[in-house]
Amino acid sequence: GGGEKPFHIVSPVLESLSLSQAAGTKVYMKLENVQPTGSFKIRGIGHLCQPLSAGGNAGLAAAYAAKKLGLPVTVVVPSTTGPATVRKLEELGAEVEVSGQVWDEANRRALELAQTEGWVSIHPFDHPSVWQGHASLVRELKDSLETKPDAILLAVGGGGLLAGVVAGLHQVGWRDVPIVAAETRGAHSFHAALAAGRLVSLPDITSVAKCLGAKTVAARALECAQECQVISQVVEDTEAVRAVEQFLDDERMLVQPACGAALALLYTGRLQRLQRKGRLRTPLASVVVVVCGGSSMQTAQLRALKSQLGLE
């Protein structure tokens, strides 16, 4: 890894007037949805794969990196993975294997395959190289913003993005910037772990936000909550999907419900609620929301989710 060009781009940081109005403070969007693979995952997975010359967003990132490196890749995905994602993976030249109903089961199969000689398992979120890759997001924020934000809002699935942002905050001297971490109910493994003070496994993933679907969060995510101020928030599936639709109207970008969880913090007034409780400062000069991605989202899927949740 001696100075090769990274696979990710420096993503735009844009002020959102509509989100600012909803939140009552200046909101900057870190647009990870415009990455080559459609999500922030290419930062960490690319960083992990590069010296070597798993589902959904991480699988796309691994397939993209493998294509760039001229390496074969097999991506194991759970049966809940949509056909659009499988098609994109195959277009990138990946072999796709469907195994299990949730990510944890697909990961077990991936680890089995990794026993094959010459194969390496690429974990989508629980690896120091992945966190280091994601840390680049914060370094870019430091370069883009005139002053540090009063909070960073992001979604938590397995905890890789959270771990990367915390690593980045350490690197740029922003350790005092609080993180508001959003999950949907039914995929709230981080929230459950924080409440218990230890890692716990959800019995099942019942949320529609399948990209948040790790039944157990990475151990590093819990450590992050001790190193920085991390405020955990659980939103409902309906709030996340409404946020996806509102964001499409407001910013003309279609993202996944996983990303909608972070956006819902702004649209539902949770930021102001945290201020009233004294958990965030008042006033907030500015906040950053990580628009983490939408690589597998289509309008038909949004319609189906609205119908499923009774939002029509």
Side-chain angles (χ1 to χ4, degrees):
E4 300 105 322
K5 190 171 183 291
F7 296 141
H8 67 268
I9 63 163
V10 175
S11 62
V13 178
L14 300 179
E15 185 180 346
S16 168
L17 297 179
S18 51
L19 288 174
S20 298
Q21 195 171 11
T25 183
K26 187 179 286 190
V27 176
Y28 291 105
M29 306 176 292
K30 183 63 168 158
L31 295 175
E32 291 297 290
N33 55 315
V34 303
Q35 289 291 353
T37 60
S39 91
F40 74 96
K41 289 282 189 181
I42 190 59
R43 292 180 183 272
I45 303 292
H47 189 257
L48 177 58
C49 290
Q50 211 145 20
L52 300 175
S53 285
N57 291 321
L60 287 166
Y64 181 85
K67 184 178 172 70
K68 289 282 189 180
L69 292 165
L71 295 172
V73 64
T74 296
V75 180
V76 186
V77 296
S79 59
T80 49
T81 305
T85 300
V86 173
R87 189 171 63 250
K88 281 184 185 175
L89 286 165
E90 289 172 343
E91 284 170 359
L92 284 166
E95 290 280 332
V96 181
E97 182 174 324
V98 179
S99 184
Q101 302 239 304
V102 293
W103 174 82
D104 307 73
E105 292 165 1
N107 186 53
R108 277 200 291 276
R109 173 60 182 152
L111 292 173
E112 280 174 20
L113 289 174
Q115 302 302 311
T116 310
E117 190 178 345
W119 286 41
V120 177
S121 173
I122 304 294
H123 197 288
F125 57 83
D126 198 359
H127 194 286
S129 272
V130 171
W131 310 330
Q132 276 309 311
H134 294 337
S136 58
L137 185 153
V138 181
R139 295 195 296 272
E140 290 171 19
L141 283 176
K142 177 91 186 305
D143 292 340
S144 301
L145 299 174
E146 289 178 12
T147 55
K148 70 181 174 186
D150 286 333
I152 294 176
L153 283 50
L154 50 77
V156 175
L161 177 59
L162 172 63
V165 167
V166 167
L169 293 177
H170 282 292
Q171 288 167 17
V172 303
W174 283 3
R175 272 184 65 179
D176 57 335
V177 175
I179 297 168
V180 187
E183 295 169 289
T184 47
R185 194 174 307 284
H188 57 289
S189 53
F190 177 60
H191 190 81
L194 277 183
R198 58 181 172 79
L199 291 181
V200 294
S201 290
L202 299 179
D204 198 12
I205 299 298
T206 56
S207 168
V208 301
K210 297 304 176 190
C211 280
L212 299 183
K215 290 201 286 189
T216 313
V217 78
R220 176 69 191 135
L222 267 189
E223 292 170 8
C224 288
Q226 269 118 46
E227 292 174 18
C228 289
Q229 185 189 354
V230 182
I231 302 167
S232 170
Q233 295 284 287
V234 178
V235 305
E236 302 302 327
D237 275 350
T238 50
E239 293 174 314
V241 172
R242 275 199 194 100
V244 168
E245 185 170 44
Q246 188 67 52
F247 191 66
L248 178 59
D249 283 347
D250 289 344
E251 299 295 342
R252 301 164 307 285
M253 289 184 278
L254 182 59
V255 296
Q256 291 163 303
C259 183
L263 296 170
L265 297 173
L266 299 164
Y267 284 127
T268 61
R270 274 177 171 75
L271 218 55
Q272 292 95 321
R273 216 172 304 161
L274 289 169
Q275 287 179 281
R276 287 195 294 273
K277 290 179 178 176
R279 299 186 73 188
L280 287 176
R281 68 169 60 177
T282 304
L284 291 163
S286 71
V287 300
V288 170
V289 60
V290 180
V291 182
C292 52
S295 57
S296 66
M297 196 63 174
Q298 297 176 325
T299 50
Q301 198 180 348
L302 176 57
R303 284 196 298 272
L305 285 170
K306 283 178 63 184
S307 175
Q308 182 185 336
L309 294 169
L311 293 176
E312 292 291 12

